[in-house]
Amino acid sequence: LEVNARLQVEHPVTEAVMGLDLAQWQLRMALGEPFPFSQAELRPRGHAIEARLCAEDPERDFLPSGGRVLALELPRVPGLRWETFLEEGREVSTDYDSLLGKAVAWAEDRAGAIRRLDAALAGSVILGLHQNVGFLRFVLGRKEFTSGKYDTGLLSRIGKDWSSRSRELPPEALALLGTAKARPLASGASVRIPDPWEHLSGWTL
């Protein structure tokens, strides 16, 4: 049993289902303010799921990856919360924790939360460094995960499938994606780049 006075990295999930701002209440408690409600009055609602976006290379056993963020798009949709320090032009170092941010999706049930999170990840673009967005979507789409019947050995069991799947997308495809994104940025225009992991076949270079 771990007992400590700090907020865990998963606290947005609790906030989403309880409708509370835990960070705010932690500060209020430190100031000596009383809670205006009791534990018995708190009722969870719906389901929330969190994904950690990390500067890691799934192709190299999740080794940390650094680089400059060349382009960044994180879709804003109802029921979806992003927590990140990322911005275009920011340099990400390998000297610190690889966590880039968190995406937290809420829905009335677990299946809906998974779909909302997957849609948000599908619409996100992070160019300039290796990250695990594609791998997160791979896990979200596996029946072993969606069934809810899994354990800590899940990634070891499905990792081989990810390796064979990821090789279907040639590095040249990602290079072309970066070029397509960089051109409108140079002119000040805005464009949405589709998620390359949605199109793992039919690529023409």
Side-chain angles (χ1 to χ4, degrees):
L1 176 65
E2 178 184 10
V3 179
N4 57 51
R6 65 182 175 86
L7 290 177
Q8 300 292 342
V9 71
E10 300 86 4
H11 81 271
V13 170
T14 302
E15 293 184 333
V17 298
M18 301 304 296
L20 296 174
D21 186 331
L22 296 182
Q24 180 186 105
W25 279 110
Q26 190 176 51
L27 293 173
R28 288 190 174 190
M29 285 182 62
L31 292 172
E33 293 187 24
F35 281 119
F37 42 77
S38 67
Q39 180 69 39
E41 295 177 281
L42 298 178
R43 292 288 186 273
R45 174 175 171 266
H47 191 98
I49 183 171
E50 175 182 299
R52 300 189 197 184
L53 280 65
C54 296
E56 298 173 345
D57 186 356
E59 293 300 303
R60 302 178 61 201
D61 199 24
F62 298 95
L63 287 175
S65 170
R68 184 180 298 276
V69 180
L70 301 178
L72 176 68
E73 290 184 13
L74 301 177
R76 305 289 177 177
V77 297
L80 193 285
R81 166 177 170 179
W82 294 98
E83 290 193 352
T84 181
F85 64 92
L86 284 184
E87 59 185 3
E88 291 183 359
R90 179 178 289 273
E91 191 74 32
V92 176
S93 171
T94 58
D95 295 335
Y96 306 100
D97 192 291
S98 63
L99 183 66
L100 297 173
K102 298 178 289 184
V104 184
W106 178 93
E108 292 291 345
D109 55 33
R110 183 172 186 270
I114 290 175
R115 288 193 300 270
R116 181 165 288 170
L117 179 60
D118 183 60
L121 294 176
S124 66
V125 175
I126 305 175
L127 298 182
L129 68 161
H130 291 291
Q131 31 71 27
N132 64 338
V133 172
F135 182 78
L136 291 172
R137 294 198 63 212
F138 164 73
V139 174
L140 289 174
R142 296 286 299 209
K143 63 181 181 179
E144 296 94 329
F145 178 80
T146 57
S147 69
K149 299 178 181 179
Y150 56 89
D151 53 43
T152 55
L154 174 65
L155 298 186
S156 297
R157 292 192 295 272
I158 68 176
K160 185 177 181 181
D161 292 342
W162 160 257
S163 297
S164 61
R165 174 183 185 271
S166 61
R167 281 196 294 269
E168 297 175 15
L169 184 64
E172 294 85 352
L174 291 179
L176 288 177
L177 179 64
T179 302
K181 179 67 178 176
R183 286 176 178 169
L185 283 177
S187 63
S190 176
V191 64
R192 182 191 180 281
I193 301 299
D195 178 21
W197 305 112
E198 292 179 333
H199 309 285
L200 293 179
S201 61
W203 279 84
T204 302
L205 302 179

